[in-house]
Each structure stands twice: as C-alpha cells, then as structure tokens.
C-alpha cells in the first residue's frame, strides 16, 4: 500500500512538472543558435559583473525631522588667524539672552600672517575643493562616505622666521547655549558687564587696527575629519584699519550614520558682508569680525545605505532571464524573416523557369503550324 501511495504521489508530481524535458534526439542544433547563445552568455557575464559593482556601492539618504533637543550645549570649533597682535584683540560669544560665554577654551598664539609656500599650496588646494563643492553638490556625499573619527585636517606648520610675529592665531572650542548668538573678535579684551559685556578698546591705538583674517577652520558640533565646512579657507585682506566683517550663519543639526562613523554634528550655510566704518558718512559700527549664528529647528539625518543581498539576487535573475528571453525571441524573429525571404526568392526563380518552359513550348507549336501550312500549299500547287 505504501509503495502504491508513493507511486501515485510521484505520478502526481510528474503531472505538475512545468519544465518538461525534450529528448536529445528531437533537439536540433544550428550554427546561428550557437552564435546567438554565445552572444547572450557574453552579455550576461558583462551585465552581472557591472551589477556586482552596483551591489558593492553605497548611497547617501537624507531624512528631515524636527529637532527636539534644546537642553544640550552647542560646541563651536574655531581656528582663525587675525593680522593683529594677540594683546590687542579679544574673542568671546554673546547669545540671544545677553549671556556672555566664557572663552577659556580659546588659545591665543602669536604667528606670522603670511603663509609659507607649503601652507599657501595647502590653502589654494582647500579653496579649489570649496569651489568644486559649490559646483558639484554630489561631492558632499563622497565626503560623508569617507569621514572618520577625529579632528579636522590641520594645515602644515609655519616655517621659522627671524622677524617677530605680527599676527594672532585664535584656536580652540567653546560650549554655548543652543540659541542664536554672536561670536566676535574685536579690539580689546572682553570684560564682564552688568548689561552684557565690554571690550577694553580705548587702550589700543587706531593705527594698530588690522582685521585682515584667515579662517582655517570653523565648525559646530563634534569635530569630524574629512568634512569641509563653507568658511574653511576663507581669507579676507583689507588696507583700511576701520573695517567690519560680518558672517550670517544658519546652523542645521545633523546626525551622521555611515559605515565609518556615527556622530552628531552640525552643517551650516553662510552669507558674508563687509564694509568700512565711517561715522561721518553714516556707516556706523565697530571694527572687527562678527559671526552671527542662528540654529534651525529642523534636523537632518544622513544615512549611508547599501543594496540588500536579496535585491541583488533578484536583479541578477532578471538579467539572466531577460537576456535569455530577449535573445530567443530575436533569434526566432530573424529566422522567420530569413525563411520568408528565402521562400519568396525560390518561388520567384521557379516562376521564371516555368515561364521559360512555356515560352519554348509555344515556339515549338508555332514552328509546327508553319511547317504544316507549307505542306498544304505545296500539295495545292501540284494539283
């Protein structure tokens, strides 16, 4: 009984076979079919190879949501060189609530404002990258994929010079409240004040004012190596001692998740403005460098994604099946057209041969008629 049941099951399974096999004795192979099969195999190999590179590649996905984190502190990373002596200038932050933030995290280092040939080459390279980033926005995705944990790429060290340094490099970081504020570098050291803050600018001569500056690095949030910010490499040079430089910055909180790093950082956009202070001409203000920043309420999530394995296998099966079906259909159509053209050609030759044969027979009958007529005429003459 069990054997009969197994036989019935096997018979039922055979009846459900959707891929019946044709005996080899009934299969006819042709040179054209072999050529098409070879071309199909080559196409499949090439497309499968290219599909493997697509599978290995990754892409960047951007998502947007409301930023609900208002209690955390915002870190400001600064590296700016000003063409004035360190004892003449001071840097600090004043937020929207008129709260003066301590600048203990900033260091003042006497340096030369002029760059060495190696530093100038590094600076020109950075400016070229900034120009390409403004033209090709997709390059930012490449930077996101290659970032690593750590500080930003530092410029080459300056060469020793016998002349005393006449500039000041202000570098370090500050922690501020997550509200709009104003980071500025102006004349005199900052001192606390009941109504805000003040700078001791009266002790500095106007002849020593020179707010030509170079921003080697300015970022917000966690420092990430490989990220190039919009103001990195900015250099402003002025001959007027009474000059104001303003940068209006919009900060966007960003969560970065790639296969290399996961970090909470910030991107920003900037608008620049500069003018000469001339109280007699109606241009009022204070000489210095002012960076007014505001924080966006939207947060950007940057995620690096990869094609899943099942999708790669599905696409691979689609390539193989599609090429097999397409080449088989094209081979059948071409064979049908060739058969039709060849049959028509053979039919035309056959008709020409038939017309020649009929023509020969008619000529023979005419000749026969002529000979019979001649015989009749001769018999009549004899009679």
């Amino acid at each position: 009984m069990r054997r009969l049941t197994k036989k019935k099951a096997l018979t039922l399974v055979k009846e459900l076979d959707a891929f019946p096999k044709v005996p080899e004795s009934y299969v006819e192979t042709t040179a054209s079919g072999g050529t098409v099969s070879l071309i199909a195999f080559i196409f499949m190999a090439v497309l499968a190879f290219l599909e493997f590179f697509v599978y290995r590649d990754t892409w960047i996905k951007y998502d947007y949501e409301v930023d609900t984190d208002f209690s955390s502190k915002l870190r400001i990373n600064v590296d700016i060189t000003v063409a004035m002596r360190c004892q003449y200038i001071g840097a600090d932050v004043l937020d929207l609530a008129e709260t003066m933030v301590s600048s203990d995290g900033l260091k003042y280092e006497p340096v030369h404002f002029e760059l060495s040939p190696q530093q100038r080459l590094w600076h020109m390279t950075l400016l070229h990258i900034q120009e390409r980033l403004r033209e090709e926005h997709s390059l930012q995705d490449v930077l996101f994929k290659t970032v690593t944990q750590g500080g930003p790429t530092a410029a080459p060290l300056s060469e020793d010079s016998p002349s005393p340094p006449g500039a000041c490099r202000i570098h370090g970081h500050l922690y501020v409240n997550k509200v709009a504020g104003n980071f500025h570098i102006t004349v005199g050291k900052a001192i606390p004040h009941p109504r805000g803050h003040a700078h001791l600018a009266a002790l500095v001569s106007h002849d020593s004012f020179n707010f030509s500056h170079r921003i080697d690095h300015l970022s917000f949030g966690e420092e990430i190596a490989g990220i190039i910010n919009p103001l990195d490499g900015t250099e402003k040079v002025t001959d007027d001692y009474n000059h104001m430089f303003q940068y209006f910055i919009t900060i966007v909180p960003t969560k970065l998740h790639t296969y290399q790093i996961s970090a909470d950082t910030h991107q920003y956009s900037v608008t620049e403005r500069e003018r000469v202070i001339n109280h007699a001409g109606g241009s009022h203000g204070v000489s210095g460098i002012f960076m007014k920043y505001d924080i966006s309420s939207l947060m950007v999530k940057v995620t690096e994604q990869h094609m899943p394995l099942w999708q790669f296998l599905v696409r691979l099966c689609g390539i193989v099946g599609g090429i097999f079906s397409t080449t088989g259909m094209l081979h059948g159509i071409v064979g049908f057209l060739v058969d039709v053209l060849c049959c028509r050609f053979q039919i035309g030759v056959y008709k020409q041969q038939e017309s020649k044969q009929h023509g020969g027979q008619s000529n023979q009958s005419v000749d026969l008629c002529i000979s019979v007529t001649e015989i009749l005429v001769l018999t009549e003459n004899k009679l």
Side-chain angles (χ1 to χ4, degrees), residues 71-343:
S71 59
S72 62
K73 295 287 185 177
L74 175 64
R75 173 169 169 160
I76 304 178
N77 308 297
V78 180
D79 190 353
I80 301 176
T81 302
V82 185
M84 290 181 65
R85 296 184 181 275
C86 293
Q87 61 266 28
Y88 296 154
I89 57 176
D92 64 328
V93 176
L94 188 67
D95 61 18
L96 193 62
E98 298 294 332
T99 302
M100 180 179 174
V101 180
S102 175
S103 58
D104 296 337
L106 297 179
K107 299 178 182 179
Y108 295 78
E109 180 184 350
V111 294
H112 294 277
F113 189 76
E114 294 78 13
L115 296 175
S116 64
Q118 187 178 3
Q119 288 177 320
R120 179 58 64 183
L121 179 61
W122 180 87
H123 185 260
M124 295 299 295
T125 303
L126 183 58
L127 292 180
H128 179 67
I129 295 174
Q130 290 280 24
E131 182 180 358
R132 296 297 299 171
L133 283 173
R134 284 190 289 268
E135 296 176 356
E136 301 289 341
H137 299 287
S138 59
L139 292 178
Q140 187 64 48
D141 294 350
V142 179
L143 293 180
F144 280 141
K145 293 179 185 180
T146 57
V147 296
T148 57
Q149 194 78 28
T153 305
L157 298 175
S158 60
E159 300 176 356
D160 295 334
S161 176
S163 59
C168 183
R169 179 191 174 201
I170 303 174
H171 60 98
H173 61 271
L174 298 168
Y175 287 96
V176 300
N177 297 322
K178 210 169 181 181
V179 296
N182 182 1
F183 171 74
H184 52 270
I185 303 173
T186 188
V187 180
K189 299 299 181 180
I191 57 174
H193 192 272
R195 295 184 178 179
H197 78 299
H199 287 263
L200 295 175
L203 303 178
V204 182
S205 173
H206 284 271
D207 297 335
S208 60
F209 287 13
N210 186 0
F211 283 98
S212 299
H213 63 280
R214 181 173 53 254
I215 304 175
D216 293 322
H217 179 73
L218 179 68
S219 65
F220 299 87
E222 184 180 349
E223 287 188 299
I224 301 176
I227 294 295
I228 299 178
N229 299 280
L231 285 177
D232 292 354
T234 301
E235 186 176 31
K236 301 290 185 180
V237 179
T238 179
D239 296 328
D240 198 309
Y241 68 90
N242 215 6
H243 210 103
M244 174 189 284
F245 297 93
Q246 292 177 303
Y247 299 93
F248 301 93
I249 300 172
T250 301
I251 304 171
V252 181
T254 304
K255 286 188 176 181
L256 183 62
H257 297 283
T258 67
Y259 292 104
Q260 298 288 340
I261 187 177
S262 294
D264 293 338
T265 183
H266 294 74
Q267 302 179 85
Y268 65 88
S269 60
V270 60
T271 303
E272 304 175 13
R273 184 180 178 224
E274 60 180 89
R275 59 189 175 92
V276 177
I277 303 300
N278 185 2
H279 297 287
S283 178
H284 303 289
V286 179
S287 301
I289 305 167
F290 298 87
M291 299 180 179
K292 299 180 179 181
Y293 60 88
D294 195 4
I295 302 174
S296 174
S297 59
L298 289 178
M299 181 176 62
V300 180
K301 283 188 175 181
V302 182
T303 309
E304 185 178 6
Q305 293 189 338
H306 186 272
M307 181 188 296
L309 180 60
W310 66 266
Q311 188 175 355
F312 168 69
L313 296 177
V314 169
R315 291 166 66 98
L316 205 60
C317 293
I319 289 173
V320 175
I323 291 179
F324 259 121
S325 302
T326 305
T327 52
M329 184 171 57
L330 291 177
H331 180 251
I333 293 173
V334 172
F336 174 75
L337 294 176
V338 170
D339 291 341
V340 169
L341 293 176
C342 290
C343 288

Side-chain angles (χ1 to χ4, degrees), residues 352-367:
Q352 290 179 2
Q353 291 178 354
E354 282 187 346
S355 62
K356 289 181 180 179
Q357 291 177 0
H358 287 299
Q361 291 177 1
S362 60
N363 292 333
Q364 291 176 1
S365 61
V366 170
D367 294 339

Side-chain angles (χ1 to χ4, degrees), residues 10-29:
L10 290 175
T11 305
L12 180 62
V13 171
K14 288 181 179 180
E15 291 179 355
L16 296 175
D17 187 8
F19 307 99
K21 294 180 174 58
V22 180
E24 293 184 0
S25 58
Y26 297 134
V27 177
E28 181 181 0
T29 58

Side-chain angles (χ1 to χ4, degrees), residues 37-55:
S37 300
L38 182 61
I39 295 174
F41 289 144
I42 293 174
F43 267 106
M44 282 189 288
V46 171
L47 292 179
F49 185 71
L50 296 177
E51 189 66 25
F52 177 72
F53 279 98
V54 174
Y55 169 71

